[in-house]
Amino acid sequence: MIIVDRYRRLEARVRRTTAVPLMVRLGLLVASVTALLVALPLPFLDLRACGVLVVVALLPAVRPDSALPTVVSVAAIGLYLVATAGYGERITIWRVLALACLLYAVHSLASLAACLPYDAEVRTEAVTGWVIRLLGVLLGSAAVLVLALAAVGRLTLGGYAAFSIGGLVAAVGATWLLARISR
């Protein structure tokens, strides 16, 4: 009887599901699958691996309020490290940038999906605003990354240390500013 009760609860939840929370979770699924595919080493790219990646990426879409989005992010980073360090694939700016943007999208969409119950009636303008801000952050970050890489390419080894320390100072400053604003 326990299995029948679980099935009935699942069926009731599916019937109550509204379009906007479903679309957010679908966006989360697409971002997760794409991040895992970008990170996947090329020798592993086959139908079986893609099926496993879809199943792994489906988990945070079903439970965005758990640690599963973090599991997808760690898996993508691990796959990328295996591809570059283990299989000697070249580190390219497009792949690093795509992976960083997709992992941020997974994080952001999981946060939004965790706040939206399956049966919530949400105006599309609220989600559209969220997605526009997400795209703005991604485009701004990409521009800063490209400019920083262009600047680092012109500097000596000491420049790398300066940019690393500068990035650390910027991250601490942003954290302090956000903490101060939230109070």
Side-chain angles (χ1 to χ4, degrees), residues 17-157:
T17 300
T18 57
V20 173
L22 185 63
M23 294 303 290
V24 170
R25 284 170 170 79
L26 183 62
L28 176 57
L29 173 66
V30 168
S32 298
V33 167
T34 309
L36 290 168
L37 283 174
V38 166
L40 187 69
L42 290 177
F44 292 137
L45 190 59
D46 63 0
L47 191 57
R48 184 180 307 162
C50 291
V52 170
L53 294 183
V54 168
V55 170
V56 170
L58 186 62
L59 297 174
V62 173
R63 293 288 313 271
D65 57 342
S66 66
L68 293 172
T70 303
V71 169
V72 167
S73 296
V74 169
I77 292 168
L79 284 172
Y80 181 74
L81 290 175
V82 167
T84 55
Y87 286 92
E89 292 182 15
R90 288 193 42 187
I91 298 173
T92 58
I93 188 169
W94 75 265
R95 194 170 180 188
V96 172
L97 188 60
L99 188 58
C101 289
L102 288 165
L103 290 179
Y104 181 75
V106 166
H107 168 74
S108 183
L109 290 171
S111 298
L112 179 59
C115 295
L116 293 176
Y118 285 95
D119 56 352
E121 289 292 331
V122 181
R123 295 180 60 162
T124 55
E125 292 85 18
V127 175
T128 304
W130 183 287
V131 172
I132 288 171
R133 285 187 296 278
L134 168 70
L135 292 175
V137 167
L138 293 178
L139 289 175
S141 299
V144 168
L145 174 68
V146 169
L147 290 174
L149 287 175
V152 167
R154 295 185 185 141
L155 298 175
T156 62
L157 187 58

Side-chain angles (χ1 to χ4, degrees), residues 152 157-171:
V152 167
L157 187 58
Y160 288 112
F163 270 95
S164 297
I165 293 169
L168 180 61
V169 168

